[in-house]
Amino acid sequence: MREIVKGRLTILADNIVLGRTESLGEHGFSVYLETDGGAYLFDTGKGKTIVHNAAVYRKNLATLRKIILSHGHEDHTGGLPEVLLFHNQINVLGHPDVFLHRFRKDENGREKYGGIPYARGYLEKIGARFVFNKDHVDIERGIYLTGEVSRETNFEAGDLSNRYGIRDGRIVPETVADDQSLIIQTERGILIIMGCAHSGIINMINHAIKMTGVDSIFGIIGGTHLGFSGDVQLKKTIQALKNYRIEHLIPCHCTGIAAAVRLSREFQKIFHFPHVGMGLEF
Ligand SMILES: [Fe+2]
Ligand SMILES: [Fe+2]
């Protein structure tokens, strides 16, 4: 029998704030998850807003059972030390490449570091207990972390041309293979919480359906990277998204305003404009 999870998620870090609010925006992403089994944090934003926004929306960072990192980019991991302050020790789940030295090159060929901004030893000293996975793992009954997502569509190339990593002392192209999503089994289908979906949102959805055997999608929320992936990918992604049964589409963070507006027009009935503090019950 499937384990159904009930709960609520709240966006704690995102690029957008809306309305008369005390909350702060930044280029980053974080979701606070409350379930019958406890509270979890998926990503930590870039670091400037997580604690402030958690206070604004009364989300207790001290009661977290686990912290999950979608991938090692600084805009998802930068707030980790701030959150660790609330704990003596806590498990932090992620792919081993979370600690990959990764960078892009600017127009003058200068390196711009984009990986996790802290050394593993420092984070462990202040309370992180890292638990690494490459394949899918259960977080609790009905909540899974995808593991690496295979890239099967022919149009989700992403913006990988200018990304590099250092492996075994050599500079290699960087595909952000560490980028994982959280999958929750809800009463109304699966809920997919993405970091940046560097493997492509359609690859991510197909992976989640294959993993769970459930093809009705209650919700998709998180970064889609469509804002950086070009017009062809956006058009083909929109076409492909129409083939799924989706109740809530909430593209955040690296979707960017232009792609989000396009998606809002195409998916009027299911689209929600994301912002810090936005919640979703399941
Ligand atoms: Fe991101
Ligand atoms: Fe990213």
Side-chain angles (χ1 to χ4, degrees):
M1 208 179 82
R2 286 209 173 90
E3 298 290 347
I4 297 299
V5 180
K6 284 183 186 290
R8 176 184 180 81
L9 63 76
T10 306
I11 299 176
L12 280 193
D14 188 59
N15 299 47
I16 295 170
V17 293
L18 277 184
R20 293 176 66 171
T21 173
E22 299 292 312
S23 61
L24 298 172
E26 66 178 1
H27 180 72
F29 190 62
S30 174
V31 160
Y32 189 93
L33 192 62
E34 292 156 279
T35 73
D36 353 3
Y40 301 87
L41 190 71
F42 180 75
D43 286 345
T44 64
K46 198 174 174 116
K48 301 280 191 288
T49 69
I50 180 87
V51 172
H52 174 86
N53 289 341
V56 170
Y57 294 101
R58 298 181 191 283
K59 300 301 170 193
N60 190 346
L61 294 171
T63 58
L64 294 173
R65 295 191 61 199
K66 289 170 187 167
I67 299 168
I68 299 136
L69 300 176
S70 64
H71 62 305
H73 282 155
E74 56 169 357
D75 49 331
H76 298 255
T77 57
L80 188 52
E82 311 290 319
V83 181
L84 290 173
L85 285 176
F86 290 80
H87 297 267
N88 287 331
Q89 276 216 313
I90 183 167
N91 283 0
V92 180
L93 282 61
H95 188 286
D97 277 2
V98 157
F99 286 103
L100 182 70
H101 181 99
R102 49 184 26 142
F103 60 92
R104 309 185 82 159
K105 286 186 182 169
D106 69 13
E107 53 283 6
N108 302 314
R110 272 193 300 258
E111 276 186 27
K112 189 176 180 313
Y113 181 74
I116 189 166
Y118 310 99
R120 180 175 169 182
Y122 166 69
L123 294 168
E124 285 173 339
K125 206 167 177 183
I126 61 171
R129 246 185 338 234
F130 288 100
V131 182
F132 295 119
N133 72 300
K134 285 187 174 181
D135 295 321
H136 93 263
V137 288
D138 293 6
I139 306 284
E140 66 167 73
R141 286 182 305 175
I143 306 184
Y144 325 104
L145 194 53
T146 57
E148 288 183 16
V149 174
S150 57
R151 301 176 184 207
E152 288 168 7
T153 61
N154 59 11
F155 57 89
E156 295 184 294
D159 73 330
L160 305 175
S161 56
N162 187 28
R163 294 180 187 276
Y164 305 92
I166 297 182
R167 289 187 193 278
D168 305 322
R170 296 179 49 195
I171 295 178
V172 293
E174 218 299 87
T175 60
V176 206
D178 49 326
D179 192 17
Q180 318 188 51
S181 294
L182 207 57
I183 312 292
I184 303 177
Q185 298 262 22
T186 80
E187 244 164 23
R188 304 177 65 88
I190 47 176
L191 171 59
I192 305 172
I193 308 175
M194 303 179 298
C196 278
H198 285 289
S199 58
I201 179 172
I202 302 299
N203 281 325
M204 194 61 87
I205 294 171
N206 291 341
H207 183 95
I209 292 173
K210 217 182 285 173
M211 243 181 76
T212 58
V214 179
D215 65 359
S216 49
I217 299 163
F218 170 66
I220 304 172
I221 182 167
T224 66
H225 220 67
L226 287 168
F228 298 96
S229 302
D231 208 45
V232 174
Q233 181 168 334
L234 178 58
K235 272 189 195 144
K236 292 193 171 178
T237 300
I238 287 170
Q239 268 168 18
L241 278 172
K242 291 179 177 168
N243 296 323
Y244 300 92
R245 279 185 293 152
I246 303 170
E247 249 182 81
H248 302 285
L249 178 62
I250 311 170
C252 307
H253 173 48
C254 50
T255 305
I257 304 275
V261 168
R262 283 273 291 282
L263 290 163
S264 76
R265 281 206 211 106
E266 296 282 347
F267 298 97
Q268 288 183 16
K269 287 200 179 118
I270 61 170
F271 181 91
H272 306 264
F273 210 82
H275 56 91
V276 175
M278 180 183 198
L280 183 68
E281 305 261 356
F282 49 89

